[in-house]
Amino acid sequence: MTIETKNDIIELLDNNIIEVLNDNNRLSSGKVIRRVSSTKNQQGQFAGFDNDGGLILINVIDMSSSDFTAEAGIIRPAKDDTLYCCTTSFSKNKKSAEAMEVLAAWPLYKKNPELHLPMETFFRSSFSPEYILYLKKNDMLDTVFIPLQQKLKIGRYVEVINWDNIRKEKFHEHLKALKPGEHITYIALIPQTTSYAPKFYSIGTKPHEVTHYSLRSEGFNFKPTHGGHIKADKNEKGIVYYVDAGSNFIGKGIKTKLETAESISKALKREYKDYIFIPLEGRGAFGTEQSY
């Protein structure tokens, strides 16, 4: 146990905010538990025992770093572990309203009214009212507000979505799913320069116009320059993918030149290096009977 942790525990004990837990049989669901050892300093709400006697905790926090570590976890106390539990809870506690005012005054609480319920639930499940007020008095509210931001992915920990990676992986899933003889329609943005990456999009075998409407509703929407078909086949090289750029909706259909399909195949190879793409002119990857 570090000096900082030891001092924190002593002060919490002296203020009757926590107490040593000597008998697990005294535990009831909802109790806030803290496990401290030379390597562990974890806190969470007790939810019950597993089949081997391990303590199931929800909203697990690493108290040393003030990090949210898990929605739920199981702790199995070792010999050098000491277990503590909060002496009170938010249920029928005169300090509850005062403690909840700490949350209500938080700027991110005011900014995110749709998250009030999960924020309040986290507050009540992770600390006692006296613990919250202790943290406020000692200017230590990061201990609760950092894990709360991490759990809900807000504030400093807002989740940055890489839409381009999502789009690229979705298209990859379509390629992987193709069996010999099967095809997909696609639309694509092929930049004039290699400084920018190409973009491919598909929703399966839907017509290109329908595919384009679908693209508009995606977070990674882009303006396509080409459309066509990709058909899987099997030869002496293994699985290969025939590629055309023969969309009538966004292209020249059966009049599409081979060099256009070659540029598409080259762009596909750049994005999906493990695949073999073979360009075909017109709508050669699927057939001239298609109206799209």
Side-chain angles (χ1 to χ4, degrees):
M1 187 187 302
T2 65
I3 293 175
E4 292 81 2
T5 300
K6 185 175 181 180
N7 291 340
D8 176 38
I9 293 296
I10 290 173
E11 190 164 354
L12 289 169
L13 288 168
D14 288 345
N15 284 276
N16 196 34
I17 295 172
I18 63 172
E19 62 184 356
V20 178
L21 180 63
N22 292 316
D23 184 2
N24 287 354
N25 292 326
R26 290 175 50 208
L27 277 175
S28 58
S29 180
K31 279 279 189 180
V32 177
I33 305 299
R34 185 163 175 179
R35 185 258 291 266
V36 179
S37 70
S38 58
T39 59
K40 302 287 186 181
N41 188 0
Q42 301 166 312
Q43 186 161 301
Q45 187 183 56
F46 177 68
F49 296 100
D50 73 354
N51 293 333
D52 298 318
L55 281 67
I56 303 170
L57 300 186
I58 61 173
N59 289 332
V60 183
I61 300 170
D62 184 329
M63 299 295 285
S64 297
S65 58
S66 297
D67 284 324
F68 180 78
T69 58
E71 297 285 346
I74 298 173
I75 64 172
R76 303 187 189 284
K79 289 182 179 180
D80 65 336
D81 289 347
T82 303
L83 293 184
Y84 303 89
C85 67
C86 286
T87 55
T88 63
S89 69
F90 274 87
S91 178
K92 298 179 181 179
N93 190 316
K94 294 180 180 180
K95 297 286 186 178
S96 295
E98 186 180 354
M100 293 308 293
E101 287 175 7
V102 175
L103 176 62
W106 189 41
L108 286 179
Y109 182 85
K110 297 177 181 178
K111 186 179 179 180
N112 297 277
E114 74 283 2
L115 295 177
H116 282 182
L117 181 58
M119 287 180 179
E120 293 165 5
T121 300
F122 182 86
F123 239 60
R124 293 188 179 101
S125 67
S126 302
F127 299 88
S128 68
E130 288 82 0
Y131 209 145
I132 295 292
L133 297 175
Y134 165 81
L135 294 174
K136 178 185 177 182
K137 178 182 177 182
N138 290 277
D139 195 24
M140 295 167 58
L141 284 173
D142 276 357
T143 301
V144 60
F145 284 138
I146 287 178
L148 182 50
Q149 290 178 73
Q150 292 171 333
K151 175 182 171 66
L152 299 180
K153 297 180 174 62
I154 58 174
R156 281 187 279 168
Y157 300 92
V158 63
E159 188 173 38
V160 178
I161 300 175
N162 190 323
W163 288 110
D164 209 47
N165 282 349
I166 292 174
R167 175 200 52 75
K168 186 174 179 179
E169 183 55 34
K170 278 190 172 184
F171 194 80
H172 188 205
E173 292 298 323
H174 282 292
L175 290 178
K176 288 195 300 184
L178 281 179
K179 296 180 175 62
E182 295 180 343
H183 83 287
I184 57 171
T185 57
Y186 74 87
I187 53 179
L189 168 61
I190 308 300
Q192 297 294 318
T193 171
T194 55
S195 299
Y196 298 94
K199 302 177 186 293
F200 292 90
Y201 178 72
S202 176
I203 53 173
T205 59
K206 298 295 185 182
H208 294 101
E209 185 173 6
V210 175
T211 304
H212 192 197
Y213 282 131
S214 176
L215 173 62
R216 290 177 181 175
S217 68
E218 299 278 14
F220 43 75
N221 182 28
F222 60 85
K223 186 176 181 179
T225 56
H226 296 78
H229 310 84
I230 300 175
K231 184 178 181 179
D233 201 357
K234 190 173 185 179
N235 64 17
E236 67 278 0
K237 296 180 181 179
I239 300 295
V240 298
Y241 297 83
Y242 293 112
V243 179
D244 71 42
S247 169
N248 284 328
F249 174 70
I250 184 169
K252 297 182 179 180
I254 61 173
K255 296 180 180 179
T256 305
K257 294 181 180 180
L258 179 61
E259 62 189 50
T260 303
E262 287 174 340
S263 69
I264 300 295
S265 294
K266 185 177 180 180
L268 280 164
K269 187 66 176 177
R270 177 180 171 183
E271 293 295 281
Y272 306 99
K273 296 179 174 60
D274 296 333
Y275 293 82
I276 300 172
F277 299 104
I278 301 174
L280 297 174
E281 64 182 5
R283 285 204 293 268
F286 192 58
T288 58
E289 72 278 5
Q290 294 301 310
S291 60
Y292 50 88

